[in-house]
Structures are given as structure tokens and as C-alpha cells.
Amino acid sequence: EVQLVGSGGGLVQPGGSLRLSCAASGFTFNNFGMHWVRQTPGKGLEWLSYISSGSTTIYYADSVKGRFTISRDNAKNSLYLQMNSLRAGDTAIYYCTKDQMLGTTGSFDVWGQGTMVSVSS
Amino acid sequence: EILLTHSPATLSLSPGERATLSCRASQSISSYLAWYQQKPGQAPRLLIYDASNRATGIPARFSGSGSGTEFTLTISSLEPDDFAIYYCQQRYSWPLTFGGGTKVEIK
């Protein structure tokens, strides 16, 4: 079964850090680009970051650029999101998701279950 | 950044009826548009990619059309399981963006 399982969320104070992880199984992880997407009640779905299969290409949304870092370990079939300088506005459910097809990026066919991040004092 | 606007925001229909959802892009995105379905407490599910291609396992009652700036998702005959929120998303340019969604509710 193709699966993404996210972890690492929780409650953190403003200015703090968290590292999200996403464990992939059931597909050849090192063949696909991966993304992080978050969802808040107020702002809906927001794409955050992309990393190519070999980590050579990385993109960020302006809202997280300079604060969040995406990475992957293909040997461990894992995707990560290091989140620093967290703000109240980063409170959301965070999803990892994979590109649908080899050679193209930006349609997401498999999603993790979502991990909740709450930023509050 | 490309803005995607859904209409209507809410669609109230009965099972068996046809649903027509629209998504408008702020600039041309060719056919690089996807549609997702989301139910409460669940992650989004890919329905349609590149405007008109059904994703694996998606029933034939779901169809997509359009190009440029105007796109449509049609559900030919609503099943009880189809009442959910539907989002469009573009992959034409970075940053990737989603629309705010259309809620399809039971009338």
C-alpha cells in the first residue's frame, strides 16, 4: 500500500522550532518529488515547499522562506520540514504529499494523514 | 502568484443531481489544473489532473474540462459520498496555489 505517515507536530511557543517528518512506503521514494502543504480554517490549503527526487531543486512559499527548510533522506524513505521562528500564523495541519508522476511536478496523488502544529504561548 | 477563485462558494444539491463547479485563474495556466475532494478530518484526494484527466480509481461520474483561465469540475449524478469540499490547484508556476474551495452540501 502506498502510504505517507507524518509525525513531529505539537504545541510550541512563538519563536520556537519543530521538525516534521514523513515516512514513505509502498513506492520508490527516490523517484518522486515531494511537497509540504498546510491547511488552516482561515486560509485554506497553502502549498509550502517542494524538493525534487535528488534534492537538487527546492522551492518555498514566500510565507515560510528563510524560516522553514525542506529535506529528504532517500536511504530512509523520509521527508522532513524543519520549522524555525514559528509564529501564531503557522498554526495549521501540515501534510506531506508526493508528486503524481515521474518527470512532472505539482499534482499530488498521495497525502499523509496530517500532523497538527499549534504555535501559542 | 496565481489566484484561483471558485464559484459558487456553496452548492446545495440533492443526490442524483448534476453538480457543476467552476474555478477561474487570475492568468492563463494552460491545462495545469487539478481538482481535489476533501471530507472532514481527511486529507485531500486527487480527482482530476491537468484539467481533464481522472486520477487512478476515480469514478467516471467525475469529469473536468477547461483551459487557460476557466475550468469546470462536473459530477454527473451526485452520490451520498460526494458531499464534500472541492478545491482546484494550479501547477503552472511557483508558488503552487489552491483555490478557496466549493462546498457541495445536501439540499
Side-chain angles (χ1 to χ4, degrees):
Chain A
E1 180 190 5
V2 177
Q3 197 172 12
L4 296 172
V5 178
S7 62
L11 176 63
V12 61
Q13 292 187 337
S17 298
L18 273 179
R19 188 194 196 206
L20 303 184
S21 299
C22 176
S25 60
F27 65 100
T28 306
F29 181 71
N30 61 14
N31 280 351
F32 291 91
M34 298 293 295
H35 304 253
W36 288 97
V37 174
R38 70 184 178 187
Q39 186 168 31
T40 63
K43 293 189 70 177
L45 289 163
E46 181 185 15
W47 170 84
L48 297 179
S49 185
Y50 161 76
I51 186 167
S52 62
S53 58
S55 303
T56 54
T57 301
I58 288 174
Y59 297 113
Y60 295 100
D62 285 346
S63 60
V64 303
K65 196 176 298 182
R67 300 189 299 126
F68 290 11
T69 302
I70 192 171
S71 63
R72 65 190 293 162
D73 185 336
N74 287 343
K76 295 182 177 179
N77 289 343
S78 292
L79 174 73
Y80 306 101
L81 186 68
Q82 177 66 44
M83 304 186 295
N84 298 331
S85 304
L86 283 162
R87 310 163 178 165
D90 295 318
T91 295
I93 298 170
Y94 286 72
Y95 295 101
C96 53
T97 185
K98 70 173 277 290
D99 278 329
Q100 179 193 14
M101 289 185 288
L102 296 173
T104 66
T105 188
S107 295
F108 315 127
D109 68 334
V110 181
W111 295 66
Q113 84 283 13
T115 184
M116 184 69 204
V117 172
S118 296
V119 184
S120 175
S121 54
Chain B
E1 174 174 318
I2 295 173
L3 299 180
L4 297 175
T5 303
H6 286 267
S7 62
T10 304
L11 199 52
S12 299
L13 295 168
S14 301
E17 289 194 291
R18 182 184 188 89
T20 303
L21 289 67
S22 296
C23 174
R24 173 176 291 178
S26 60
Q27 65 184 76
S28 177
I29 56 171
S30 186
S31 295
Y32 295 121
L33 187 100
W35 289 93
Y36 299 85
Q37 176 194 68
Q38 189 178 32
K39 299 176 184 177
Q42 297 184 16
R45 172 194 181 197
L46 179 66
L47 299 176
I48 301 288
Y49 66 95
D50 292 349
S52 60
N53 299 286
R54 270 190 302 277
T56 301
I58 301 304
R61 65 181 181 274
F62 292 92
S63 63
S65 64
S67 66
T69 61
E70 301 285 343
F71 299 87
T72 301
L73 173 71
T74 302
I75 311 171
S76 59
S77 178
L78 281 164
E79 300 277 339
D81 191 48
D82 299 337
F83 292 93
I85 299 175
Y86 292 83
Y87 297 94
C88 59
Q89 174 250 324
Q90 64 83 19
R91 68 175 190 91
Y92 179 80
S93 68
W94 305 96
L96 308 182
T97 51
F98 291 85
T102 289
K103 182 179 181 180
V104 178
E105 64 177 22
I106 299 176
K107 186 174 181 180

